[in-house]
Amino acid sequence: MTLAVEVAGKTDIGCVRTNNEDNFGYDSRHGIFVLCDGMGGQAAGEVASKLAVDVLLQYFREHVSASAPLGDLSIKRPALNSASLAQAIELANRTIYEAGHGQAGRAGMGSTIVAALLHGRELAIAHVGDSRIYLIRRGSIQLLTQDHSLVMEQVKLGYITREQAEQSELQNVILRALGTEENVEADVEDLVLMPGDTLLMTSDGLTRHVHDEEILEILESNASLEHACATLVQAAKDRGGDDNITCLLFRMIERPWYKGLLSRLFPGGSQWQNSF
Ligand code: CA
């Protein structure tokens, strides 16, 4: 058996906003998945989140291609871990910071980021801001990131409960973002995945309206990742959809080795993608 990854993503402007400042992107061939939620007036937020997504994808396309010939599974590519993810995020931060300081109307633009780098069964994750990544494994859901927000900081210190945080008017106050300072520190983690694991990356437009247990319920009742994305987005919209909503889902699957060979020989004939 070989491991492969199935992916689906969806972004929606929501029911109230006039523009969508969220962006996401992935390249399953290079194992990189990224989601960003931009901020700043005059369309600067969508520029910032797009810049961050593009920098991350480009970084790993160059990095992976340079370190090993594609398709050669015998070569362990070096440094595809959380350290390289943090480095790519630092580059995205610098890119937004410089773009923000170089143009009128773009001052103060910034973005959250949540990124995942998949290499075989190893997954590196990193985030800045309040975009999240969840692990769904064997019927349970686990939040892998801790929001860099004022309210979650207060929860951590024991000043308020998570329930109080969810009702707070200060939910918008983010303590860390890309593009606001010259340097940024991402929180990073390395973990090992199991076949069947599903990862959900999401912006706060979903998680402010749809609780973890309900997210799990939706994922368990939708076998297709596309349907699951659509149902998650609709659940947030049904509750007002006052923000942009974005979900990026990927799942580790096992399949017989010859299926990977067939999809390489006949590209486009399968919905599965190699994760190597
Ligand atoms: Ca948002």
Side-chain angles (χ1 to χ4, degrees):
M1 298 290 258
T2 59
L3 281 174
V5 64
E6 186 191 5
V7 196
K10 186 174 173 65
T11 186
D12 193 288
I13 196 168
C15 308
V16 174
R17 299 285 176 91
T18 53
N19 60 335
N20 190 349
E21 297 185 319
D22 288 357
N23 266 296
F24 74 94
Y26 61 88
D27 185 335
S28 44
R29 200 169 160 81
H30 293 96
I32 179 74
F33 306 84
V34 56
L35 183 151
C36 296
D37 177 352
M39 59 201 78
Q42 299 180 350
E46 48 196 273
V47 173
S49 59
K50 178 81 168 60
L51 276 175
V53 168
D54 289 349
V55 167
L56 265 278
L57 293 181
Q58 190 57 29
Y59 183 91
F60 287 101
R61 278 173 184 150
E62 286 171 5
H63 205 80
V64 173
S65 307
S67 56
L70 283 173
D72 189 342
L73 305 185
S74 63
I75 295 178
K76 177 126 176 128
R77 301 181 183 104
L80 287 178
N81 53 24
S82 56
S84 56
L85 206 48
Q87 220 165 28
I89 288 176
E90 189 59 56
L91 184 64
N93 177 70
R94 193 61 68 95
T95 306
I96 298 171
Y97 182 80
E98 283 169 6
H101 286 73
Q103 285 188 48
R106 298 242 167 115
M109 79 174 183
S111 180
T112 72
I113 190 164
V114 59
L117 180 66
L118 184 63
H119 178 223
R121 284 176 186 237
E122 291 160 27
L123 184 78
I125 58 168
H127 84 289
V128 175
D130 64 356
S131 297
R132 296 178 174 180
I133 182 163
Y134 289 90
L135 168 67
I136 297 92
R137 172 180 287 172
R138 292 183 177 162
S140 68
I141 184 165
Q142 188 191 354
L143 176 59
L144 299 178
T145 48
Q146 195 158 40
D147 298 352
H148 299 138
S149 66
L150 183 62
V151 289
M152 287 315 282
E153 199 59 34
Q154 289 177 320
V155 170
K156 208 162 78 182
L157 294 169
Y159 296 155
I160 59 171
T161 64
R162 193 166 163 182
E163 290 69 35
Q164 286 171 318
E166 285 166 3
Q167 302 300 323
S168 172
E169 290 176 355
L170 298 173
Q171 279 188 85
N172 282 328
V173 183
I174 292 177
L175 302 179
R176 254 188 260 179
L178 298 186
T180 54
E181 311 268 342
E182 229 175 322
N183 296 294
V184 73
E185 196 185 335
D187 283 359
V188 296
E189 199 184 331
D190 290 290
L191 47 149
V192 177
L193 293 183
M194 294 163 61
D197 282 353
T198 304
L199 283 301
L200 167 67
M201 297 162 78
T202 177
S203 62
D204 65 335
L206 175 80
T207 49
R208 285 206 201 171
H209 294 294
V210 188
H211 288 122
D212 299 3
E213 304 72 41
E214 198 182 345
I215 290 174
L216 178 63
E217 218 174 278
I218 290 171
L219 291 174
E220 298 279 281
S221 57
N222 286 274
S224 133
L225 294 187
E226 280 83 9
H227 286 159
C229 276
T231 313
L232 287 170
V233 167
Q234 194 54 49
K237 290 175 84 172
D238 289 345
R239 278 141 212 195
D242 62 356
D243 195 1
N244 310 137
I245 310 144
T246 307
C247 305
L248 178 54
L249 277 166
F250 61 97
R251 179 177 288 156
M252 296 291 290
I253 52 161
E254 271 185 324
R255 61 178 181 178
W257 64 269
Y258 57 82
K259 293 236 171 167
L261 182 66
L262 286 176
S263 68
R264 277 199 290 277
L265 289 173
F266 307 105
S270 163
Q271 64 171 311
W272 313 116
Q273 302 242 14
N274 279 326
S275 63
F276 300 96

